Amino acid sequence: MGIESILEVKVKEAVAQLFKVELPQVEFQPTRKDFEGDVTVVVFPMLRYVKGNPAKIGEEIGQFLTANVPAVTGFNVIKGFLNLVISDGFYLDFFNSIKTTATYGHVAEKADDAVMVEYSSPNTNKPLHLGHVRNNLLGYSVSEILKAAGKKVYKTQIINDRGIHICKSMLAWKRFGNGETPESTGLKGDKLVGNYYVAFDKAYKDEVAQLVAEGTDPKQAEKEAPILLEAQEMLQKWEAGDEETVSLWKTMNGWVYEGFAETYKNMGVDFDTLYYESDTYLLGKDVVAQGLEKGVFFKKEDGSVWIDLTENGLDEKIVLRSDGTAVYMTQDIGTAIQRVKDYPDVGGMVYTVGNEQDYHFKVLFLILQKLGYSWSNNLHHLSYGMVDLPSGKMKSREGTVVDADDLMQEMSQTAANISAELGKLEDYDEDQKEELYQMIGLGALKYYILKVDPKKRILFNPEESVDFQGNTGPFIQYTYARIQSILRKAEETGVLKDNDVEVEALHAKEKELLKQLQLYPETIQLAAENYSPALIANYTYDLVKEFNSFYQQVSILGEADENRKIFRVQLSKKVGEVIASAFRLLGIGVPERM
């Protein structure tokens, strides 16, 4: 049990005995560096329940704790802050209890507590771009964090494989493709299809310009461009099951799926199950019919079906058009229900979707609650901000997006350039170098994106992300590699051991490291509760900063006292293990050497 968990029980006990009040919670924070102590109890929030001078209240609680908690060896009160000194023995006992625990910080899976995390969810008319990168990294990392916190997790995506945007690529390929394939062009399938989406947009704009030049109203010209009308006709053929159209659709989507699979593999993300919009777009109509009977929905004069959410601070929302066709909301209602039918142990879902869809998900979750689904109270929209570049916004139709594959390749190349300047890889062969560059480059990209709170917008700077100093992936990877170097030397000299060792008093830097290690399980739980990989990323950076301060101020392998040398090697080893564990939750690899 962590020191804060022990102290929370005892502080509540103290308040109950001393002031005859039941305290609902206790607020802790690390003790400021300029005061003596390890853990600080913040007294001010207690004043809602305990009347009196905060310094005097802190003094009385401090006296109670030193008398009743063996780990507390001293205290001081600065205004409303009770700073507690925790014994070295407590931290040594803690360390000995975790040093050989491979899954330290992780909670065993609760089989009846499954959650489905949806992420990626691309369109099959273009390759994945920088926006998808943030989506995939967030969804994958949150899945791994939830697993570490004890959840059973199903990773999924819904692939938007139908609609007018798909037909645009298909039609452009028919018009301009001359039978091109990924094999004949050497292009990844998703890139080939994406090129035709751009080609359609160019041809469409040319036709609109031609119509306007001939005297057609610009808005009318946008609706009447022949290539758009033909794409709409193609969509109708697809919906009617036209054999030739469906065959082309399957072929081109197949090219895209092969391309996506390669990108996902390089990115290091995966999925347990896939849903396709072509299978789900008719779902939800039966639910709307049932909701009408229950009075959840109402029908307007034109026959369209709506839900009134004004009493919840939202608007009226359409769920079925007057011609009986579904809207996106209908599909999302039906798909959510279908997922629980497919995976009956799912008790909640996480949707990783950009913040432009915030309102949509508020409505969706509310509708599912009103329909009476118990799991609807455990739905979460993992909303995230845009990723911007110094050059400005990206536009798929104009082909000005930052391609995910190109970005990952660029990151590896940047890592290669910096590593070459550092010149520490003389004994690596080319394959080893390539693997390392990819690990550093991809680690830099992932860390730069994941260290930012998901809700915040990011200005992505590739070169800044690969800096080997500061709050970056490569800085943390470099520290991990440094620890592995220490462990290799320790093994050669016979001081890499697992046995418990006695050390008299902890060095201040040893104690700070142990305090940071103790925060890891709590950080995983907080990251899971908040769906925030940023908490894991920034915890890891703090741990690495603390280790580097320890490394610079104490001798490890040069320590004269044998027991303390063994202890410092063990401590370094555990720090390395926690760095690797935390980075696994972010989907980032760590190198043995750099």
Side-chain angles (χ1 to χ4, degrees):
M1 187 184 287
I3 188 62
E4 287 187 6
S5 302
I6 294 168
L7 290 173
E8 179 154 20
V9 172
K10 289 298 183 180
V11 169
K12 287 179 179 178
E13 194 180 304
V15 171
Q17 283 192 29
L18 296 167
F19 308 108
K20 307 296 184 272
V21 168
E22 192 174 310
L23 203 60
Q25 62 188 53
V26 182
E27 187 178 319
F28 297 98
Q29 63 185 37
T31 303
R32 280 174 45 179
K33 302 284 186 190
D34 44 341
F35 298 129
E36 185 189 9
D38 303 297
V39 181
T40 294
V41 179
V42 186
V43 178
F44 293 112
M46 298 181 193
L47 299 182
R48 293 174 59 190
Y49 310 95
V50 182
K51 302 304 175 193
N53 180 299
K56 187 171 185 302
I57 293 167
E59 194 77 31
E60 290 188 53
I61 294 171
Q63 288 170 1
F64 179 94
L65 294 176
T66 51
N68 292 279
V69 184
V72 178
T73 59
F75 74 93
N76 61 84
V77 180
I78 310 292
K79 296 181 179 176
F81 298 92
L82 168 59
N83 304 317
L84 302 172
V85 179
I86 307 302
S87 71
D88 289 356
F90 174 85
Y91 286 111
L92 284 166
D93 288 345
F94 151 72
F95 181 67
N96 286 328
S97 73
I98 64 134
K99 69 182 175 189
T100 57
T101 305
T103 57
Y104 171 62
H106 289 222
V107 173
E109 181 185 291
K110 305 177 193 79
D112 60 344
D113 196 16
V115 63
M116 184 170 277
V117 181
E118 176 195 297
Y119 56 96
S120 196
S121 303
N123 296 331
T124 56
N125 64 321
K126 55 192 174 186
L128 302 176
H129 56 62
L130 179 55
H132 292 117
V133 170
R134 187 176 199 189
N135 182 302
N136 275 274
L137 299 185
L138 275 173
Y140 177 85
S141 182
V142 164
S143 299
E144 295 302 308
I145 290 166
L146 288 171
K147 281 188 206 173
K151 295 278 189 184
K152 182 178 182 181
V153 176
Y154 298 108
K155 301 172 188 170
T156 192
Q157 62 171 323
I158 182 159
I159 298 169
N160 304 305
D161 65 340
R162 61 167 288 279
I164 191 68
H165 53 291
I166 311 296
C167 291
K168 288 176 179 179
S169 291
M170 289 162 59
L171 180 57
W173 183 86
K174 280 186 78 171
R175 279 205 186 183
F176 318 121
N178 298 316
E180 280 189 345
T181 66
E183 290 74 23
S184 70
T185 59
L187 285 174
K188 278 176 80 228
D190 52 336
K191 288 187 171 39
L192 180 66
V193 172
N195 288 346
Y196 285 108
Y197 185 61
V198 174
F200 176 94
D201 191 61
K202 183 178 183 305
Y204 168 69
K205 284 178 176 171
D206 288 346
E207 288 187 4
V208 169
Q210 181 64 35
L211 288 171
V212 170
E214 291 169 1
T216 307
D217 176 76
K219 289 199 180 302
Q220 201 63 28
E222 288 173 3
K223 295 175 184 173
E224 293 178 0
I227 196 168
L228 177 62
L229 298 177
E230 196 175 338
Q232 290 168 344
E233 183 187 343
M234 183 179 269
L235 179 57
Q236 290 167 355
K237 285 181 178 178
W238 180 88
E239 289 178 345
D242 176 71
E243 196 173 318
E244 183 188 340
T245 305
V246 170
S247 175
L248 177 59
W249 170 78
K250 285 181 178 176
T251 297
M252 292 184 71
N253 274 348
W255 295 344
V256 173
Y257 298 146
E258 286 180 14
F260 284 172
E262 189 179 326
T263 303
Y264 291 142
K265 184 181 177 185
N266 291 337
M267 199 182 290
V269 302
D270 57 12
F271 303 91
D272 300 307
T273 183
L274 305 178
Y275 286 87
Y276 297 89
E277 196 185 333
S278 55
D279 296 328
T280 65
Y281 80 105
L282 297 176
L283 291 177
K285 288 186 178 184
D286 55 339
V287 181
V288 171
Q290 293 162 16
L292 263 174
E293 288 178 19
K294 292 179 183 175
V296 176
F297 303 118
F298 69 93
K299 192 175 279 191
K300 290 196 174 180
E301 288 180 7
D302 64 356
S304 58
V305 181
W306 296 69
I307 187 168
D308 185 356
L309 299 174
T310 50
E311 66 178 32
N312 302 99
L314 305 177
D315 300 320
E316 290 184 349
K317 183 72 181 178
I318 189 169
V319 292
L320 214 59
R321 295 189 186 98
S322 57
D323 61 2
T325 56
V327 293
Y328 276 117
M329 187 62 70
T330 326
Q331 296 172 44
D332 283 352
I333 293 166
T335 302
I337 294 164
Q338 186 61 47
R339 286 172 172 172
V340 179
K341 287 179 184 172
D342 294 342
Y343 297 89
D345 57 344
V346 165
M349 296 181 217
V350 178
Y351 294 82
T352 312
V353 182
N355 57 14
E356 69 277 4
Q357 294 293 328
D358 284 355
Y359 185 81
H360 174 87
F361 283 102
K362 280 182 188 172
V363 172
L364 173 63
F365 298 167
L366 201 48
I367 290 174
L368 288 165
Q369 285 169 19
K370 288 181 182 291
L371 287 169
Y373 293 100
S374 58
W375 43 264
S376 64
N377 295 316
N378 300 315
L379 300 177
H380 179 77
H381 175 205
L382 179 48
S383 173
Y384 62 89
M386 293 276 291
V387 183
D388 296 317
L389 290 158
S391 56
K393 277 192 173 182
M394 303 181 291
K395 294 178 182 174
S396 299
R397 285 190 300 276
E398 296 172 13
T400 59
V401 300
V402 175
D403 181 272
D405 297 309
D406 293 345
L407 177 61
M408 288 190 286
Q409 182 56 43
E410 181 191 327
M411 295 300 295
S412 293
Q413 188 55 52
T414 304
N417 296 342
I418 292 174
S419 297
E421 287 172 20
L422 294 174
K424 294 186 177 181
L425 303 176
E426 295 88 349
D427 56 341
Y428 272 43
D429 64 33
E430 287 309 309
D431 288 344
Q432 288 174 318
K433 285 181 182 177
E434 196 54 45
E435 187 180 341
L436 180 63
Y437 299 152
Q438 193 170 354
M439 187 184 287
I440 297 171
L442 205 52
L445 169 65
K446 290 181 177 185
Y447 188 84
Y448 196 93
I449 286 176
L450 291 175
K451 74 176 180 180
V452 178
D453 182 273
K455 293 183 179 64
K456 291 183 179 174
R457 204 166 178 141
I458 294 177
L459 180 65
F460 180 68
N461 184 325
E463 290 206 0
E464 188 179 292
S465 73
V466 190
D467 194 339
F468 278 65
Q469 296 296 323
N471 191 3
T472 67
F475 172 68
I476 294 169
Q477 288 172 322
Y478 187 78
T479 301
Y480 177 84
R482 167 181 279 168
I483 291 170
Q484 300 321 296
S485 174
I486 292 167
L487 298 182
R488 284 191 294 273
K489 290 173 187 169
E491 191 165 25
E492 288 166 11
T493 54
V495 290
L496 183 57
K497 300 175 181 178
D498 287 333
N499 60 301
D500 292 358
V501 290
E502 293 292 328
V503 292
E504 286 185 12
L506 288 172
H507 187 284
K509 288 298 167 185
E510 294 168 339
K511 196 171 187 180
E512 288 303 318
L513 255 189
L514 288 167
K515 282 155 64 174
Q516 193 65 28
L517 282 175
Q518 201 180 47
L519 294 175
Y520 186 49
E522 172 194 327
T523 304
I524 290 175
Q525 293 298 323
L526 277 174
E529 287 166 23
N530 292 280
Y531 305 95
S532 178
L535 294 175
I536 298 290
N538 289 294
Y539 164 83
T540 314
Y541 177 56
D542 289 341
L543 176 63
V544 160
K545 277 196 303 183
E546 206 59 68
F547 177 81
N548 282 317
S549 179
F550 161 78
Y551 176 81
Q552 286 156 11
Q553 295 194 39
V554 305
S555 179
I556 300 175
L557 297 175
E559 168 61 42
D561 182 285
E562 189 69 9
N563 272 356
R564 192 170 289 277
K565 184 194 297 185
I566 292 168
F567 169 67
R568 286 178 179 172
V569 168
Q570 290 175 345
L571 184 54
S572 301
K573 182 183 179 188
K574 196 65 200 177
V575 169
E577 287 173 1
V578 171
I579 291 169
S581 170
F583 261 31
R584 272 194 299 276
L585 299 182
L586 303 178
I588 302 174
V590 283
E592 293 300 307
R593 293 187 294 165
M594 272 175 80

